[in-house]
Amino acid sequence: MGRGKIVIERINNSTSRQVSFSKRKKGLLKKAKELAILCDAEVGVITFSSTGRLYEFTNTSMRSVIERYNKVTEESHQLNSTLEIKFWQLEAENLRRRLYSLQESHWYSSSFT
């Protein structure tokens, strides 16, 4: 028999909230460790409690995980910028063609009036 579903919303009772945080944090870190072991993944998890306390897990070094994350997101940002530039260049070219076509048709129709 499975567990009942719970509504995902803030727990108002501070003691219950702290107990839930502790249990869920433990489960999250356990899953991160399993993912790292079973799938040979580089895993880094950073969690701050409501009191500001830091909890972390990494199967390598947190510095290398963060550096890798920063590198990948920077490369992704550069790629997105390049794609956006190409999009606008194509859009400008299409508008130039349309303007030229409209000018030609206007010139053609005004030459017969």
Side-chain angles (χ1 to χ4, degrees):
M1 183 178 227
R3 297 181 186 184
K5 294 196 179 237
I6 62 163
V7 177
I8 301 297
E9 61 184 25
R10 184 176 187 272
I11 300 169
N12 292 323
N13 182 296
S14 63
T15 304
S16 297
R17 186 171 53 247
Q18 182 57 40
V19 169
S20 183
F21 175 81
S22 180
K23 288 179 179 180
R24 288 174 177 270
K25 173 187 57 84
K26 183 179 176 183
L28 175 65
L29 298 178
K30 180 181 177 186
K31 291 293 183 184
K33 183 178 179 181
E34 291 172 358
L35 181 64
I37 293 169
L38 294 172
C39 302
D40 194 29
E42 186 175 5
V43 177
V45 176
I46 300 172
T47 306
F48 290 97
S49 69
S50 60
T51 61
R53 186 165 176 198
L54 168 68
Y55 300 92
E56 62 182 278
F57 166 81
T58 182
N59 63 325
T60 57
S61 86
M62 190 58 75
R63 180 178 303 268
S64 72
V65 171
I66 292 172
E67 286 173 355
R68 186 172 179 189
Y69 170 80
N70 287 334
K71 180 182 177 197
V72 169
T73 55
E74 177 62 30
E75 288 171 355
S76 174
H77 177 71
Q78 289 173 353
L79 177 62
N80 288 342
S81 296
T82 303
L83 291 174
E84 188 174 2
I85 289 168
K86 287 183 180 185
F87 168 80
W88 288 114
Q89 287 172 338
L90 288 171
E91 187 68 15
E93 182 59 33
N94 289 337
L95 289 171
R96 271 191 227 94
R97 284 191 203 124
R98 184 158 182 215
L99 177 61
Y100 179 75
S101 173
L102 289 170
Q103 287 172 335
E104 266 191 347
S105 66
H106 177 70
W107 177 82
Y108 182 75
S109 65
S110 65
S111 64
F112 290 109
T113 55

